Amino acid sequence: MEIERSVSLLQYMEDEGLVPSGKEEIRRRNVIVKLKQIVFVWAKKIAYEHRLPKSCIRAASATIITYGSYGLGVHNHESDVDALCVGPGFATRAEDFFIVLRNMLENRPEVSEIYCVKDAKVPLIRFKFDGVSVDLPYAKIHGISVPEDVDVFNPFIFANMDEISWRSLSGVRANRSIFQLVPGIETYKSLLRCLKFWARRRGIYCNLFGFFGGVHLAVLVAVICQRHPDTWLSALVSIFFKTFAFWAWPTPVILFHDIVPTHYLHTEKSLMPIQLPCSLNEYCRSYITTSTFGRIREEFLRGHYMTKDVLSSNFDWKILFEPFSYAYHYARYFKIRLSSSDRNELRDWVGWVKCRLRSLLVKLEDLLGFCDPNPTEYVDATLQAPNTVFFWGLKISRSHKIDIDAIKKEFVKNINSGSERALGKIDLSVVKVSELHDMNPERTEACRWVSDGNGQRIPVASNYMAQEWRW
């Protein structure tokens, strides 16, 4: 029966389009090959521009390392590619990466929608290459030549590395640590693919909104697979929900390198601390609040009760993955409408605001006790300007008084901090559920797209300032 349930789950994921086709895989591999060729030429170009000796120019090189969901092999046909550019020590980030390399990419006919995200925790260039979305951060090592198979754990290569390069490298190191520590990697991939889909459907997958990001789920799933090797996929789903539904938070979740200790040393101030698998002192960046913590735990409990009978003959996977119904759970919503006169400015505006939404969420929690920050993006068709709209679920009674003007004034002050000018307009209001129904019903992938006002979707700088790395 375990075999049958596991096979049915795999078939369900394939039917939902979670497994990319062979043609899509080839296209992504070709993109990586071309990017490696570009950065190899780029390294020699900037070595020449830096007037290095001819021997150094000949030796100069850079490479591309994939990570995140693509690096783990859990991407789908809509997923972007996280690709780290590792360059030589003489290649600067401000000039050589963000100007020279960007111009080289922009001049390629395969590249479109290119722009730089310079102020993020992990700065990067974002673009489409042959239609594939790519996020390209930069890390430099102390040396002239970067081997294609560079050892990301070599202490000599990465000694005295600058902080931004180290952060940029953490996604690659986390991926490779998981591959080293998790048995049955194919089962791990299937389980992670399944649970990422579940988290999106249930509205708890978006790090900037206080929920899980890809790295959080990647570690949680790795812990389950590490503790339960040689277990069938269907059983692992049930074990996952049972384990974390009753986890003694804030006890940290740790993917151990050897024997599981019985005592934990934890100083991370987080409601749901999850340690990075590549470091004993670093934890996954978390924006979880009291409200989102409660929502995540509710979903863990729901998953647990729904999968207790996973081996029964009448078990249906579709029930577990039913989308969370906001209209059923909330009668009032906090509406956030972002708009701009230009679609490109809207992209930057939404990205800029998103990375500061946590302060707004905490403010609403202080006033109302609870707020569910739905990551789904909607379009207000009544507004001609390009826009995107969010509806956050509220549990309020008539006795609750909300000073929208004061909330907006405080939040606008927050989002204008560090910005030379306002990139767009923001409108805040409390609305009834009927307005949610009136919005464009198209549900886009959390944190990835906005509307241009003409029925078209454009990519948004989803982790504009708070990006750790995306999976």
Side-chain angles (χ1 to χ4, degrees), residues 198-206 211 295 299 323-324 326 372-376 443:
W198 161 80
R200 286 193 183 98
R201 282 289 184 92
R202 301 304 298 172
I204 58 170
Y205 189 84
C206 187
F211 295 113
R295 274 280 285 119
E299 291 302 328
F324 182 83
Y326 290 92
D372 185 353
N374 176 8
T376 305
R443 297 174 63 95

Side-chain angles (χ1 to χ4, degrees), residues 199-205 209 211 295 299 323-333 371-376 378 391-394 433 436-437 443:
R200 286 193 183 98
R201 282 289 184 92
R202 301 304 298 172
I204 58 170
Y205 189 84
F209 283 68
F211 295 113
R295 274 280 285 119
E299 291 302 328
F324 182 83
S325 175
Y326 290 92
Y328 174 80
H329 284 85
Y330 310 112
R332 296 286 188 277
Y333 296 84
C371 179
D372 185 353
N374 176 8
T376 305
Y378 299 85
F391 290 91
W392 290 4
L394 301 177
V433 67
L436 177 64
H437 291 310
R443 297 174 63 95

Side-chain angles (χ1 to χ4, degrees), residues 8-19:
S8 66
L9 177 55
L10 291 171
Q11 185 61 53
Y12 176 81
M13 288 191 288
E14 187 171 343
D15 293 342
E16 289 291 333
L18 303 183
V19 182

Side-chain angles (χ1 to χ4, degrees), residues 183-305:
I185 199 66
E186 291 304 319
T187 300
Y188 166 79
K189 291 179 182 180
S190 296
L191 182 60
L192 179 55
R193 196 189 299 274
C194 160
L195 290 167
K196 285 180 64 178
F197 181 61
W198 161 80
R200 286 193 183 98
R201 282 289 184 92
R202 301 304 298 172
I204 58 170
Y205 189 84
C206 187
N207 192 27
L208 291 181
F209 283 68
F211 295 113
F212 286 142
V215 63
H216 304 92
L217 285 176
V219 178
L220 295 184
V221 171
V223 166
I224 296 302
C225 291
Q226 187 185 60
R227 295 185 177 188
H228 304 274
D230 304 319
T231 303
W232 289 99
L233 177 62
S234 57
L236 287 174
V237 174
S238 180
I239 292 170
F240 174 90
F241 287 118
K242 181 178 181 180
T243 299
F244 295 115
F246 302 104
W247 191 267
W249 305 103
T251 301
V253 178
I254 300 174
L255 184 64
F256 295 106
H257 290 247
D258 41 46
I259 301 174
V260 179
T262 56
H263 298 283
Y264 299 88
L265 176 62
H266 173 57
T267 58
E268 178 74 6
K269 293 181 179 180
S270 172
L271 294 170
M272 306 183 90
I274 302 171
Q275 189 183 78
L276 284 173
C278 55
S279 174
L280 297 177
N281 302 313
E282 295 180 76
Y283 285 76
C284 302
R285 185 169 288 108
S286 174
Y287 301 93
I288 293 173
T289 68
T290 54
S291 293
T292 58
F293 174 72
R295 274 280 285 119
I296 293 170
R297 292 200 69 185
E298 286 177 0
E299 291 302 328
F300 279 150
L301 284 167
R302 173 185 178 273
H304 166 60
Y305 288 116

